[in-house]
Amino acid sequence: MYRRALLGGALAAPALLSIPVRAQGAITLNGASQFNDDHVFTRTLVRFEELVKQHYGKPVNFVLHKNSSLGLEKQYFEYMAQGRAVDYAIVSPAHMSTFSRAAPFVDAPFLFRDLAHWNGVLEQDLFKPVAEEVEKRARVALIGYAGGGVRNIFASRPLRNLAEIRGLKVRVQGAPIWSRTFQAAGMSPTVIAYNEVYNAIQNNVIEAGENEAAGVEQMRFFEVAPNLAMTQHAITIRPLCVSVASMQRLPNDLQAAIRRAGREAAAFGRQAESTEDGQKLEALEKAGRLKRIEFTERAEMKRMVDPVMAAYAKEIDAEGILNRINALTS
């Protein structure tokens, strides 16, 4: 049995947290979240704690550090890889690219046909090769997949089909695959800092951006781009991670409980986020803040992008994963 002593709970503390301290009583595990109690990621981690205790049936303590008190997801992953400060957290795949070239592929655009397809991919564990590589090289275990936010294009004008998005000046994320795929679909993508998108649309530097409902709501993008084209071009995946170094210090039955709880808590998170995503859009539309617009050529857009995705998968040695994803019926 061991206990991690969290000294101060602030960013100055991580160096001190690298030394496990043996103490009387239950094991204590430290988690981290960038968000407050209401956010689905925080709620998923709380559910994880509850399930571990339920499956383990013996004393074990959890301390969840919220509101970015231990930094951001990138730092959480680094701490878990080093076996210090953070034992468990939800982390974007983009922050794993140092250890696995294929990791960002988990969250790539135009990968899934719809939510049913996305769920099927996760249920069949088709990203297992990526998880195994991350666990081997980074010593961080991906024990479940949360996420479920569907990303659409918010724009200053209605966008209903491929003709109307041709040449669209749209902000995309910095990863190259985003620019490549949006360009293949006929748009004119550009990388702009997230906190500059609102002003860029307001000043006609760009016409559109892309995000899930929570981002559109939080950043008030609907004020400058009230037309939401339902392209459903991406569905987020956020792995629930645990430090392998932390796990190896635990009894075998607790390790088993953690892995089981990770799968179940992540399923809870997926259900919650995918459900709330639609609810947020409905509330915004009812309030007259945005208008959801059917995008009638979504399948054709994906066909235009598929060759780019295939080339990208080959580039990062993920061809086998992409083939299995594309072959999966939903």
Side-chain angles (χ1 to χ4, degrees):
M1 296 291 191
Y2 76 97
R3 178 179 179 86
R4 289 182 183 274
L6 187 67
L7 306 179
L11 292 177
L16 299 172
L17 292 166
S18 59
I19 304 172
V21 178
R22 294 187 177 274
Q24 297 297 319
I27 295 164
T28 295
L29 299 174
N30 287 283
S33 172
Q34 294 182 171
F35 308 104
N36 62 17
D37 290 330
D38 296 331
H39 196 281
V40 66
F41 288 2
T42 305
R43 287 185 280 128
T44 298
L45 293 173
V46 170
R47 182 62 177 155
F48 170 66
E49 172 187 339
E50 294 168 349
L51 288 165
V52 171
K53 290 178 177 178
Q54 176 184 317
H55 297 323
Y56 184 46
K58 302 174 188 176
V60 56
N61 296 324
F62 287 80
V63 179
L64 180 55
H65 305 275
K66 295 167 281 193
N67 297 306
S68 302
S69 62
L70 289 183
L72 303 177
E73 289 179 9
K74 179 178 175 61
Q75 284 78 50
Y76 305 162
F77 193 79
E78 292 170 354
Y79 295 154
M80 286 186 284
Q82 295 162 7
R84 65 191 185 99
V86 175
D87 298 306
Y88 64 97
I90 291 174
V91 177
S92 169
H95 302 309
M96 306 174 189
S97 59
T98 301
F99 301 95
S100 170
R101 293 180 70 204
F105 185 68
V106 170
D107 207 35
F110 302 100
L111 190 60
F112 308 109
R113 292 187 292 273
D114 49 35
L115 270 170
H117 184 220
W118 171 82
N119 262 312
V121 169
L122 294 180
E123 287 171 1
Q124 295 198 23
D125 203 13
L126 297 187
F127 291 120
K128 184 177 180 181
V130 177
E132 290 176 341
E133 182 179 24
V134 171
E135 184 162 348
K136 179 181 178 181
R137 298 190 62 195
R139 292 180 57 76
V140 175
L142 279 53
I143 60 173
Y145 298 101
V150 180
R151 299 177 79 94
N152 297 291
I153 295 176
F154 53 90
S156 57
R157 58 184 171 87
L159 304 168
R160 304 175 187 86
N161 51 49
L162 289 171
E164 292 181 351
I165 67 168
R166 188 172 296 120
L168 180 74
K169 294 183 290 183
V170 55
R171 182 266 182 186
V172 297
Q173 300 178 53
I177 188 59
W178 285 82
S179 292
R180 294 182 200 176
T181 51
F182 274 61
Q183 192 167 29
M187 291 173 271
S188 179
T190 184
V191 177
I192 294 175
Y194 186 57
N195 60 358
E196 296 176 5
V197 174
Y198 186 105
N199 287 338
I201 296 176
Q202 189 175 43
N203 296 323
N204 297 316
V205 175
I206 57 174
E207 303 168 88
E210 60 81 38
N211 214 320
E212 61 258 40
V216 172
E217 180 185 53
Q218 181 180 31
M219 302 299 289
R220 305 185 70 83
F221 291 139
F222 53 80
E223 293 179 348
V224 291
N227 302 286
L228 192 69
M230 303 301 287
T231 51
Q232 301 181 35
H233 55 269
I235 306 175
T236 61
I237 293 179
R238 295 292 180 265
L240 202 169
C241 306
V242 174
S243 168
V244 171
S246 298
M247 289 269 279
Q248 289 178 339
R249 301 186 188 109
L250 303 176
N252 290 336
D253 54 348
L254 179 51
Q255 292 186 39
I258 285 172
R259 288 190 179 270
R260 179 181 174 185
R263 292 190 298 272
E264 295 173 359
F268 161 85
R270 294 198 304 273
Q271 176 63 30
E273 185 165 356
S274 58
T275 300
E276 292 168 12
D277 198 71
Q279 292 172 347
K280 286 181 183 295
L281 292 183
E282 184 177 354
L284 288 170
E285 190 165 39
K286 282 185 176 180
R289 293 178 171 179
L290 63 73
K291 182 177 181 181
R292 285 180 287 186
I293 298 170
E294 180 185 2
F295 191 81
T296 60
E297 295 181 296
R298 199 269 184 192
E300 178 59 31
M301 180 169 64
K302 188 177 186 307
R303 281 193 290 271
M304 294 170 70
V305 167
D306 281 345
V308 175
M309 287 293 291
Y312 174 64
K314 183 176 182 179
E315 183 182 316
I316 62 172
D317 300 322
E319 288 177 287
I321 297 173
L322 180 60
N323 290 338
R324 287 190 289 276
I325 289 173
N326 287 339
L328 184 67
T329 56
S330 58

